[in-house]
Amino acid sequence: MDIVLTGTGSPLPDANRAGPSTLVKAGDTHILVDAGRGVVMRMAGAGSLPGFLTAALITHLHSDHVCALNDVITTHWVMTQGKVRLQVYGPVGTAQFVERQIRALEPDIGYRIAHHDVLTAPPEVQVTELEPGDSFTVGDVSITTAATEHSPVKPTIGFRLEHDGASAALVGDTIPCAGVDELARDADVYVQTVIRRDLVEMIPNEMIQDILDYHSTVIDAAQTASRAGAKRLALTHMVPAPTPEQYPDWIARAADHYDGEIIIGDDLTTISV
Ligand SMILES: [Zn+2]
Ligand SMILES: [Zn+2]
């Protein structure tokens, strides 16, 4: 599998980092996990497109993780000429979110159906709402889920994808918890959204301080990776976003708590497992 960090940013606007999303390519099976700002542009950079997606998985309904799902839906609809149903999996609430996205797109949908004879119906999106512990198959990829902890955001779920003997845990925003340990156990790669507590604490802004209690810090992620026996730890959704010159410092802080390989990088960083 190739795990492409298509969006390593966060809600904070960044000229160089798209919002949170990760693309997993397992042969012809392309699976998107979350759909943050700029995701379709980054999918193109990763050699994929919404029309190639076997499924999109959603960890939670925070805007930074789903704000570009409308672009995925519209681009998939147009590129497949309305002939292929888009599969979306996510926590309870995802079906209503998608239905409202399509409602918001009604003017555009009407214009395109009026203008293109081949388009005869609105985008077809099949949403499967998941409970923690559910497992299912997408293409050749087996997927298991577990509850994560990002309160007051509820429900939130993380995913473990397995293909051809390789495994990847993609868990979204969460503090350390049993669900993440389970998903990351002996994984070839564990991808964690992270913040740096020491740096965030220096930012004199009450709303920024609020993020401290519901995200994993770099140290939390390293300790989880170590406890779970994950072979690689990939950091994403970094707050505050580091410059490339700062990557060694981020890695060093994680390496104090974890012996495996630590990956941090720009958008489109690719991990092959
Ligand atoms: Zn979140
Ligand atoms: Zn987030």
Side-chain angles (χ1 to χ4, degrees):
M1 285 191 289
D2 280 343
I3 290 88
V4 189
L5 306 182
T6 36
T8 59
S10 71
L12 303 173
D14 189 308
N16 299 309
R17 295 186 192 277
S21 75
T22 307
L23 178 71
V24 178
K25 296 200 279 184
D28 291 337
T29 302
H30 290 200
I31 299 172
L32 184 68
V33 180
D34 288 341
R37 182 186 294 140
V39 62
V40 173
M41 196 169 72
R42 288 290 186 257
M43 286 181 76
S48 187
L49 288 168
F52 299 165
L53 277 181
T54 317
L57 315 182
I58 303 297
T59 61
H60 66 300
L61 297 173
H62 248 157
S63 59
D64 53 317
H65 295 252
V66 291
C67 68
L69 189 62
N70 62 355
D71 195 8
V72 174
I73 291 170
T74 300
T75 309
H76 178 274
W77 178 55
V78 170
M79 292 188 77
T80 63
Q81 301 190 348
K83 293 181 172 62
V84 181
R85 203 186 271 174
L86 176 65
Q87 303 287 340
V88 175
Y89 296 82
V92 170
T94 304
Q96 187 182 59
F97 179 80
V98 166
E99 190 237 310
R100 288 172 172 174
Q101 291 285 301
I102 292 172
R103 195 93 67 81
L105 291 164
E106 265 171 10
D108 174 79
I109 292 167
Y111 304 146
R112 291 185 197 282
I113 290 174
H115 188 66
H116 301 289
D117 287 345
V118 296
L119 290 177
T120 55
E124 254 201 89
V125 183
Q126 164 111 37
V127 178
T128 305
E129 293 191 338
L130 301 166
E131 297 291 342
D134 282 352
S135 54
F136 53 102
T137 303
V138 168
D140 298 331
V141 178
S142 303
I143 301 173
T144 54
T145 64
T148 55
E149 182 54 55
H150 189 42
S151 185
V153 185
K154 287 176 195 281
T156 59
I157 51 174
F159 301 98
R160 179 186 175 101
L161 282 63
E162 297 188 2
H163 171 76
D164 235 357
S167 53
L170 299 121
V171 305
D173 294 347
T174 179
I175 58 174
C177 63
V180 176
D181 284 5
E182 182 188 322
L183 296 170
R185 181 140 304 124
D186 301 322
D188 290 299
V189 61
Y190 155 49
V191 181
Q192 179 61 64
T193 69
V194 291
I195 62 170
R196 272 276 297 271
R197 173 174 293 277
D198 58 318
L199 299 178
V200 169
E201 280 178 341
M202 293 192 305
I203 303 170
N205 177 303
E206 188 185 328
M207 283 183 73
I208 293 277
Q209 296 304 310
D210 289 342
I211 72 172
L212 287 166
D213 68 6
Y214 71 174
H215 285 288
S216 286
T217 65
V218 171
I219 292 168
D220 289 335
Q223 289 174 338
T224 296
S226 179
R227 195 169 53 244
K231 297 187 186 70
R232 296 173 190 80
L233 166 63
L235 306 177
T236 190
H237 187 294
M238 293 89 75
V239 181
T243 63
E245 295 73 40
Q246 293 165 334
Y247 291 162
D249 178 45
W250 285 60
I251 289 172
R253 283 164 194 271
D256 284 342
H257 302 270
Y258 172 61
D259 291 334
E261 184 185 351
I262 300 159
I263 297 148
I264 184 170
D266 302 334
D267 283 10
L268 299 180
T269 294
T270 300
I271 305 144
S272 297
V273 296

